[in-house]
C-alpha cells in the first residue's frame, strides 16, 4: 500500500516545498475560521503555501489552487497525543507520519525533509510573539541563596522616600537589608541620585526591587553584581521578609486576564473601579450566538478585542466583512456566526495581519484602544477603494475658526476627523471640596508614613466637558497674514458636519512629573441621549473680516543641491560584504550619520526585494524614469512572479490575472501586493472573484437579529455643498443615542485591562474577553470611549 501511495505522490512532488528561512508556517489556526489542531476536524497545512485550513475550508483552497497535498494535524488533549498525516486531495488518501520512510526512495527523502521541517517549524504566531520581545531576562544567580538580615525592617504601603535624600520617585528596596534608596542607573531613564548603587558598593548586597512596580506575578528586579535586570523566583518570600505580601494583591488581579497588568504596590485606589466596571459580585447571565461571541485574550490584546466587538455591532462593518477576509475571516465570520462558542474565538491571525509592520501593535505590550481604533480606520480607508467604505459612518468635518487677536480678523478651515476628544476639566468637579480634603489627608499620611485615606473619585458634570471642548485655545506660533508677522491667535472648534456614528473619547490620560502616562480617576455622567446641534459651525458671520489668503514666507536652505553621500562610509560597509548600492542607500537614508547608523538600516532592510538596487531620488530621476508607473519601476513587464506567491493570493479568492499584475507591480513582495490589490480594484467585473466573494459572504451571513440595532431610518445625507473631490461625509442632525462604550481599568494606557458594553436588542451586554453576559449595571460614568448612533427624526 505504501508503494501505491508513493506513486500517488509522484505527480505532486513539485508542489511539496521545504520551508525556507523567512517562510511562516501557520500550523496553529485556520486562515478562515477559529479551527485549530484541537478542533474536531483538526487543521490542514498546505505543503506549498504553509497556510492552515479547517476542515470546512481546505476543500475550497484545493479547488482554487489545485494544491493537493496537505499535512493533517490533530491534537488529542485528553490523551496528550499529537497525530500527523499527509492527505492527498480530492480522494483523501492518508499517509500516517512518521511512517513516511516506508514510501519509495524516489519520494521519501524529499517528503520526509519537508514534513520534518513543517512539524519542527515554530508557529507563525509564536514566532511573532517571541520576536516582539526586545530581550529575555535571566534568573539571577543570587536569587536562590539570597541572605536577608533579621533587622526588623517593615515597609509601609506608601509614603516612601530615599533614606539619603528627599527623592520620592524611582525608589528601590534592597532585598538584603530593606534599605529604600533612589536609583539612577536603570535602563528606564528614571531620575535619582544613585544612592541605591552607592549602597551596593558599600555593602555588596546584590538585589533590589522597584517599589512602585510590584504585581502578584512579579516585579522589576535589578542585580548590581550582574549589572542587568533579572528574575527572582523567590521574590514573594523575599518581599514577605519585609512585610510585603504579594498575595494580598490577588483579589484585584483576578479581575484581569491581561498577562502583564501593572497594579502598583500602593493602596488599592482603583479596586472599586475594577469591581464596578466588570460588575463584580453580580450574577450575570451568559449569552451566546450571533453577535454574542467573545474574543480570547492573547495576553494584553483586550484593546483589540473590545474595539472589534463594538465595530462589529455596526451594520456597515458587518457588511464589510468580505474585505476583512484580507485580515482574518476567523474573527469576521465567527463573531456573527450562530455557533455556541463559550470559550470565544482566537484573534491570532487577525492580530498578526492587522498589526503587520506597526512597532507597537505587533508587540505583546498593552496598547491604547483609542490609538488602535484610529489605526484600524486608517487600514480600512486604505483598503476599501472601489467598495463600500464602512469608516464613512465615523468621518466628519470639523470647522476651525482662528482669529488674530490684534486685528480681530478670522479664518475658517475644515479638517477631517473620526473622534471627538472631550476634555475632562478637573477644576469643574462637583465634589471639589471633598477632593481638596482628601489630598490634604493623603499628603499628611505620606509624610507620617501611615496608610492613606480612602480614595475619592472626581465627579465632573458632562456639561462642563462640553464647555471645555468649545472654549477658545491659544494657537502657538501664530502667523497673522494681516500683519505679515507673528501674533497672538485663538482657535475655536465646531462641527461642520455630524457623522452617522459619533465616537467620543474622554481625555482621561495625562503625563505625570516623570513623563509616565497616568490616568485621571474621574466619573462623568455621560447621557444616553445627546443633542449637539448647538455646536454646529456657522462659517463666516456678518461683520467678520477674513484674514488675507497669504502663506508665511518660505525660508529656503542655502544649499538646495542633491544631498551628498559619504562614499567612505559606504565603502566601509561594502567591505563587510554588503552590496555597494545598498550601502550607499543606507548612508543616504540615515543622513550621513556614520557607518554604525547605516549598518542598522541595512539589517532592517536587507530582506526587501529592491535592497541592492541603485538609489533613485524622485526629484533627480531622468524624465523617462519619472514618467514610468511607480508600481512598475525596475520590474520588467514580462517578469513572471513565483508560482507559490501567485498560489497564496489566488487562495484568498483573487483572480490569477489580478494577482500576477499585483506581484509585478510590487517586485513580488506579498505584503505590498496585497495592498496593491485593494487599492487597484479590477475595472471589469471578474466572475471568479465575484463568485468567491459571494461564497465567503454566504458562509458569514449574520442572523437578522444582529441588525436589530441598525438605524434603518437614517437622516444622513451627503452634504449638498460638498466638494465631489473632497472627503465624503454623511451629514445629518446632531442628535444621538448611546449604544456602546469601552472602559479601561488600571493606572495608565500601558497597563490594566479593557472591557466593553454594547446595547443589543434593547439590553446592555458586557464583553470581557471570551466572557459575554447580560449587563445588570452598565458603568456608563467610568467609560473611556463612547459610541453614539444618530437618532432618526421619523
Amino acid at each position: 500500500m505504501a508503494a501505491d501511495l508513493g506513486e500517488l505522490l509522484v505527480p505532486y512532488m513539485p508542489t511539496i516545498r521545504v520551508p525556507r528561512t523567512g517562510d511562516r508556517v501557520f500550523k496553529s489556526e485556520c486562515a478562515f475560521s477559529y479551527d485549530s489542531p484541537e478542533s474536531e476536524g483538526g487543521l490542514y497545512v498546505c505543503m506549498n503555501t504553509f497556510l492552515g485550513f479547517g476542515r470546512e475550508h481546505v476543500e475550497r483552497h484545493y479547488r482554487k489552487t489545485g494544491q493537493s497535498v496537505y499535512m493533517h494535524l490533530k491534537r488529542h488533549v485528553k490523551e496528550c497525543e499529537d497525530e500527523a498525516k499527509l492527505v492527498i486531495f480530492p480522494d483523501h488518501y492518508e499517509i500516517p507520519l512518521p511512517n513516511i520512510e516506508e514510501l519509495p526512495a524516489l519520494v521519501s527523502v524529499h517528503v520526509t525533509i519537508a514534513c520534518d521541517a513543517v512539524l519542527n517549524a515554530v508557529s507563525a504566531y509564536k514566532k511573532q510573539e517571541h520576536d516582539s520581545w526586545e530581550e529575555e531576562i535571566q534568573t539571577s544567580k543570587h536569587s536562590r541563596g539570597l541572605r536577608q538580615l533579621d533587622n526588623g525592617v517593615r515597609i509601609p504601603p506608601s509614603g516612601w522616600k530615599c533614606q539619603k535624600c528627599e527623592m520620592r520617585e524611582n525608589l528601590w528596596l534592597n532585598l538584603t537589608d530593606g534599605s529604600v534608596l533612589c536609583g539612577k542607573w536603570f535602563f528606564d531613564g528614571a531620575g535619582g541620585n544613585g544612592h541605591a548603587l552607592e549602597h551596593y558598593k558599600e555593602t555588596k548586597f546584590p538585589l533590589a526591587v522597584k517599589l512602585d512596580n510590584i504585581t502578584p506575578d512579579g516585579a522589576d528586579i535589578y542585580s548590581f553584581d550582574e549589572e542587568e535586570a533579572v528574575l527572582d523566583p523567590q521574590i514573594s518570600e523575599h518581599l514577605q521578609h519585609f512585610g510585603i505580601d504579594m498575595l494580598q494583591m490577588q483579589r484585584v488581579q483576578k479581575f484581569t486576564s491581561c498577562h502583564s497588568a501593572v497594579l502598583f504596590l500602593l493602596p488599592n485606589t482603583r479596586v472599586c473601579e475594577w469591581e464596578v466596571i466588570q460588575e463584580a459580585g453580580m450574577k450575570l447571565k451568559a449569552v451566546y450566538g450571533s453577535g454574542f461571541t467573545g474574543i480570547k485574550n492573547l495576553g494584553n490584546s483586550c484593546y483589540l478585542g473590545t474595539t472589534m466587538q463594538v465595530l462589529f455591532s455596526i451594520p456597515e462593518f458587518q457588511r464589510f466583512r468580505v474585505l476583512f477576509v484580507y485580515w482574518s475571516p476567523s474573527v469576521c465570520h465567527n463573531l456573527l456566526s450562530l455557533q455556541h462558542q463559550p470559550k470565544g474565538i482566537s484573534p491570532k491571525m487577525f492580530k498578526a495581519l492587522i498589526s503587520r509592520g506597526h512597532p507597537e501593535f505587533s508587540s505583546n505590550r498593552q496598547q491604547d484602544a483609542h490609538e488602535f481604533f484610529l489605526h484600524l480606520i486608517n487600514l480600512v480607508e486604505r483598503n476599501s477603494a472601489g467598495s463600500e467604505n464602512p469608516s464613512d459612518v465615523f468621518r466628519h468635518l470639523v470647522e476651525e475658526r482662528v482669529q488674530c487677536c490684534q486685528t480681530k480678523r478670522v479664518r475658517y478651515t475644515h479638517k477631517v476627523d473620526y473622534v471627538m476628544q472631550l476634555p475632562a476639566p478637573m477644576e469643574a468637579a462637583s465634589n471639589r471640596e471633598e477632593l481638596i480634603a482628601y489630598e490634604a489627608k493623603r499628603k499628611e499620611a505620606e509624610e507620617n508614613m501611615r496608610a492613606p485615606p480612602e480614595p475619592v473619585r472626581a465627579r465632573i458634570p458632562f456639561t462642563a466637558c462640553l464647555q471645555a471642548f468649545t472654549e477658545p485655545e491659544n494657537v502657538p506660533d501664530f502667523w497673522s497674514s494681516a500683519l505679515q508677522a507673528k501674533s497672538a491667535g485663538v482657535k475655536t472648534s465646531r462641527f461642520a458636519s455630524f457623522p452617522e456614528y459619533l465616537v467620543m473619547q474622554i481625555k482621561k490620560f495625562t503625563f505625570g512629573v516623570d513623563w509616565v502616562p497616568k490616568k485621571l480617576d474621574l466619573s462623568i455622567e455621560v447621557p444616553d441621549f445627546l443633542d449637539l446641534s448647538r455646536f454646529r459651525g456657522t462659517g463666516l458671520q456678518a461683520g467678520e473680516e477674513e484674514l488675507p489668503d497669504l502663506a508665511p514666507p518660505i525660508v529656503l536652505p542655502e544649499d538646495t543641491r542633491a544631498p551628498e553621500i559619504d562614499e567612505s562610509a559606504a565603502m566601509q560597509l561594502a567591505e563587510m560584504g554588503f552590496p555597494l548600492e545598498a550601502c550607499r542607500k543606507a548612508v543616504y537614508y540615515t543622513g550621513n550619520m556614520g557607518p554604525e547608523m547605516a549598518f542598522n538600516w541595512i539589517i532592517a532592510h536587507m530582506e526587501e526585494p529592491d535592497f541592492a538596487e541603485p538609489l533613485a531620488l524622485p526629484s533627480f530621476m531622468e524624465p523617462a524614469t519619472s514618467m514610468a508607473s511607480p508600481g512598475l519601476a525596475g520590474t520588467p513587464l514580462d517578469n513572471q512572479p513565483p508560482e507559490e506567491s501567485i498560489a497564496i493570493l489566488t487562495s484568498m479568492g483573487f483572480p490569477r490575472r489580478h494577482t500576477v499584475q499585483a506581484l509585478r507591480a510590487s517586485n513580488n513582495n506579498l505584503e505590498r501586493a496585497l495592498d496593491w490589490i485593494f487599492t487597484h480594484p479590477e475595472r471589469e467585473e471578474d466572475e471568479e472573484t465575484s463568485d468567491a466573494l459571494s461564497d465567503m459572504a454566504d458562509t458569514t451571513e449574520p442572523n437578522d437579529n444582529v441588525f436589530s440595532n441598525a438605524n434603518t431610518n437614517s437622516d444622513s445625507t451627503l452634504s449638498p455643498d460638498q466638494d465631489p473631490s473632497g472627503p465624503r461625509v454623511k451629514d445629518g442632525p446632531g442628535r444621538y443615542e448611546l449604544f456602546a462604550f469601552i472602559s479601561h481599568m488600571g493606572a495608565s494606557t500601558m497597563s490594566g485591562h479593557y472591557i466593553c458594553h454594547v446595547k443589543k436588542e434593547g439590553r446592555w451586554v458586557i464583553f470581557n474577553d471570551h466572557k459575554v453576559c447580560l449587563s445588570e449595571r452598565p458603568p456608563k460614568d467610568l467609560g473611556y470611549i463612547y459610541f453614539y448612533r444618530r437618532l432618526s427624526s421619523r
Side-chain angles (χ1 to χ4, degrees):
M1 182 62 182
D4 295 339
L5 291 175
E7 292 175 2
L8 287 173
L9 273 177
V10 170
Y12 306 112
M13 290 297 291
T15 69
I16 299 176
R17 294 177 50 228
V18 177
R20 299 190 298 264
T21 302
D23 282 338
R24 297 193 294 173
V25 180
F26 294 86
K27 63 178 187 179
S28 59
E29 183 180 306
C30 172
F32 290 89
S33 72
Y34 59 92
D35 287 337
S36 68
E38 290 89 354
S39 303
E40 183 178 353
L43 191 74
Y44 294 80
V45 179
C46 173
M47 292 301 292
N48 184 267
T49 64
F50 310 118
L51 290 172
F53 302 95
R55 184 65 188 86
E56 296 181 0
H57 299 280
V58 65
E59 293 277 2
R60 178 191 298 168
H61 185 258
Y62 159 71
R63 291 195 303 269
K64 288 290 182 184
T65 65
Q67 173 62 27
S68 297
V69 183
Y70 298 81
M71 180 178 291
H72 188 205
L73 301 174
K74 288 204 69 174
R75 181 165 298 133
H76 305 282
V77 179
K78 292 183 179 180
E79 294 82 7
C80 297
E81 292 180 354
D82 289 346
E83 177 185 351
K85 61 182 73 171
L86 282 183
V87 179
I88 306 174
F89 280 75
D91 298 316
H92 293 269
Y93 290 117
E94 297 182 351
I95 305 175
L97 302 178
N99 301 328
I100 203 79
E101 62 270 12
E102 298 179 6
L103 296 175
L106 177 65
V107 297
S108 64
V109 175
H110 178 74
V111 174
T112 299
I113 294 173
C115 290
D116 287 345
V118 171
L119 290 172
N120 295 324
V122 177
S123 171
Y125 306 113
K126 290 183 179 179
K127 184 178 187 299
Q128 184 192 35
E129 291 167 5
H130 175 76
D131 290 347
S132 68
W133 297 105
E134 296 177 355
E135 60 179 344
E136 184 177 355
I137 301 178
Q138 303 296 326
T139 299
S140 171
K141 65 182 180 181
H142 299 289
S143 60
R144 187 171 298 276
L146 182 70
R147 182 167 68 98
Q148 292 189 285
L149 303 181
D150 292 324
N151 53 9
V153 173
R154 291 293 180 268
I155 305 300
S158 64
W160 312 307
K161 62 180 179 180
C162 177
Q163 295 175 3
K164 293 187 178 182
C165 66
E166 295 300 315
M167 282 291 299
R168 294 182 180 273
E169 303 288 336
N170 190 25
L171 297 177
W172 294 77
L173 170 68
N174 189 287
L175 290 175
T176 296
D177 64 357
S179 298
V180 176
L181 299 159
C182 63
K184 190 175 183 179
W185 72 95
F186 204 47
F187 59 78
D188 63 1
N193 298 311
H195 288 137
L197 179 58
E198 290 178 7
H199 185 67
Y200 162 72
K201 292 177 179 178
E202 295 169 2
T203 63
K204 299 303 179 184
F205 298 156
L207 298 184
V209 59
K210 194 170 185 182
L211 275 175
D212 64 352
N213 202 19
I214 301 173
T215 78
D217 295 325
D220 286 346
I221 306 164
Y222 190 83
S223 172
F224 299 99
D225 178 52
E226 296 159 284
E227 296 184 346
E228 64 180 351
V230 295
L231 297 177
D232 178 5
Q234 283 79 41
I235 185 61
S236 179
E237 292 83 353
H238 292 159
L239 289 172
Q240 186 71 52
H241 181 82
F242 299 108
I244 301 174
D245 188 356
M246 293 175 65
L247 296 181
Q248 288 182 352
M249 301 289 290
Q250 191 62 39
R251 185 169 70 90
V252 182
Q253 178 68 8
K254 72 179 182 180
F255 293 122
T256 177
S257 52
C258 292
H259 292 235
S260 59
V262 178
L263 303 176
F264 296 105
L265 186 66
L266 290 168
N268 292 331
T269 57
R270 300 185 188 275
V271 173
C272 182
E273 179 186 63
W274 287 74
E275 293 178 344
V276 172
I277 289 178
Q278 296 190 115
E279 303 186 52
M282 301 283 181
K283 293 184 178 180
L284 303 180
K285 180 182 177 182
V287 288
Y288 308 99
S290 179
F292 300 101
T293 300
I295 298 179
K296 295 178 183 177
N297 195 321
L298 305 178
N300 289 325
S301 68
C302 51
Y303 67 90
L304 178 150
T306 52
T307 303
M308 293 305 298
Q309 292 288 8
V310 174
L311 289 182
F312 269 83
S313 68
I314 297 175
E316 284 79 1
F317 277 83
Q318 294 170 355
R319 294 196 295 269
F320 192 61
R321 63 191 179 279
V322 172
L323 184 52
F324 270 92
V325 167
Y326 167 44
W327 291 319
S328 177
S330 61
V331 171
C332 313
H333 167 66
N334 293 295
L335 281 180
L336 303 177
S337 73
L338 293 171
Q339 299 182 29
H340 181 86
Q341 300 172 26
K343 294 183 179 180
I345 60 173
S346 171
K348 284 183 178 179
M349 177 168 285
F350 180 81
K351 184 178 185 297
L353 295 176
I354 203 76
S355 62
R356 182 181 57 206
H358 194 285
E360 288 298 325
F361 298 130
S362 59
S363 73
N364 282 346
R365 296 183 291 271
Q366 181 64 284
Q367 304 298 334
D368 181 29
H370 168 244
E371 292 180 1
F372 178 74
F373 171 78
L374 294 178
H375 170 69
L376 186 62
I377 292 299
N378 181 45
L379 290 179
V380 170
E381 290 279 5
R382 285 168 45 196
N383 294 289
S384 59
S387 64
E388 178 186 5
N389 185 347
S391 64
D392 286 349
V393 300
F394 301 125
R395 190 186 306 110
H396 60 276
L397 296 178
V398 176
E399 177 191 273
E400 291 187 340
R401 176 186 183 272
V402 178
Q403 183 175 41
C404 172
C405 295
Q406 193 167 343
T407 65
K408 305 302 181 183
R409 300 174 77 172
V410 298
R411 175 180 295 116
Y412 286 86
T413 57
H414 287 174
K415 72 171 185 178
V416 175
D417 211 342
Y418 296 87
V419 178
M420 177 186 185
Q421 291 187 300
L422 207 60
M426 297 293 286
E427 66 278 4
S430 59
N431 59 338
R432 190 173 179 183
E433 292 183 0
E434 189 180 1
L435 289 169
I436 294 173
Y438 161 73
E439 186 62 21
K441 293 178 181 178
R442 187 192 65 79
K443 287 184 177 179
E444 181 184 0
E446 183 177 299
E447 291 172 357
N448 296 306
M449 305 285 283
R450 294 199 307 264
E454 282 292 318
V456 176
R457 176 172 292 122
R459 296 192 297 271
I460 301 179
F462 183 73
T463 52
C465 298
L466 287 179
Q467 180 66 29
F469 173 77
T470 59
E471 286 292 326
E473 57 180 295
N474 292 325
V475 180
D477 295 323
F478 175 68
W479 187 84
S480 172
S481 58
L483 299 172
Q484 294 285 296
K486 284 190 176 182
S487 174
V490 293
K491 180 180 71 174
T492 54
S493 298
R494 295 290 189 274
F495 285 91
S497 69
F498 287 113
E500 186 77 12
Y501 287 82
L502 176 69
V503 183
M504 180 188 297
Q505 178 210 16
I506 304 297
K507 297 170 73 172
K508 287 188 172 185
F509 294 95
T510 184
F511 287 94
V513 294
D514 53 359
W515 290 98
V516 174
K518 296 181 179 180
K519 189 170 78 174
L520 301 174
D521 192 10
L522 50 86
S523 167
I524 301 176
E525 290 294 336
V526 176
D528 287 319
F529 296 94
L530 189 61
D531 189 349
L532 299 177
S533 301
R534 66 186 184 280
F535 297 112
R536 182 183 286 275
T538 55
L540 189 68
Q541 297 295 293
E544 289 185 330
E545 187 176 358
E546 285 190 278
L547 285 164
D549 189 14
L550 298 173
I554 299 175
V555 180
L556 294 174
E558 294 182 3
D559 187 1
T560 57
R561 296 171 301 172
E564 296 181 357
I565 295 176
D566 185 350
E567 296 293 348
S568 63
M571 290 302 299
Q572 218 174 320
L573 293 168
E575 291 173 358
M576 300 171 64
F578 299 115
L580 177 59
E581 290 299 334
C583 299
R584 297 184 77 249
K585 285 197 292 187
V587 171
Y588 168 74
Y589 286 122
T590 54
N592 290 323
M593 296 185 67
E596 184 175 349
M597 291 289 291
F599 176 79
N600 293 333
W601 187 96
I602 287 175
I603 297 302
H605 295 80
M606 62 191 307
E607 297 296 330
E608 295 177 0
D610 57 351
F611 174 68
E613 292 183 6
L615 173 66
L617 301 176
S619 56
F620 299 102
M621 295 171 71
E622 293 296 329
T625 307
S626 62
M627 294 176 62
S629 172
L632 301 176
T635 306
L637 293 178
D638 58 352
N639 179 36
Q640 182 66 15
E643 281 299 323
E644 57 265 27
S645 298
I646 297 174
I648 291 175
L649 295 177
T650 54
S651 70
M652 295 181 179
F654 305 116
R656 180 183 176 87
R657 180 171 59 85
H658 204 192
T659 59
V660 170
Q661 191 177 4
L663 288 165
R664 283 176 173 170
S666 57
N667 284 342
N668 298 327
N669 182 294
L670 268 176
E671 295 181 0
R672 286 161 54 192
L674 277 169
D675 283 336
W676 190 95
I677 286 175
F678 284 106
T679 54
H680 296 76
E682 291 243 278
R683 297 302 179 191
E684 297 180 3
E685 187 66 22
D686 187 290
E687 293 183 1
E688 181 182 359
T689 304
S690 299
D691 293 343
L693 295 179
S694 297
D695 290 344
M696 294 177 189
D698 291 342
T699 61
T700 57
E701 190 65 33
N703 184 280
D704 290 339
N705 292 335
V706 177
F707 293 89
S708 60
N709 287 325
N711 187 8
T712 54
N713 297 319
S714 172
D715 291 337
S716 64
T717 59
L718 290 177
S719 179
D721 57 349
Q722 183 177 330
D723 181 0
S725 63
R728 293 175 59 86
V729 294
K730 296 184 176 182
D731 196 6
R735 297 183 297 275
Y736 295 94
E737 177 186 10
L738 181 68
F739 76 94
F741 60 95
I742 295 174
S743 305
H744 174 271
M745 298 163 286
S748 80
T749 55
M750 309 311 294
S751 63
H753 184 51
Y754 286 99
I755 67 170
C756 68
H757 287 73
V758 182
K759 197 171 186 180
K760 291 175 176 279
E761 301 175 8
R763 287 289 308 268
W764 282 100
V765 180
I766 178 173
F767 292 84
N768 190 353
D769 293 337
H770 66 280
K771 294 171 290 186
V772 183
C773 301
L774 294 177
S775 171
E776 294 294 332
R777 294 180 185 174
K780 303 172 191 174
D781 61 317
L782 298 179
Y784 173 45
I785 307 174
Y786 294 88
F787 296 80
Y788 285 84
R789 60 167 166 256
R790 196 195 315 276
L791 282 171
S792 171
S793 60
R794 293 186 290 274

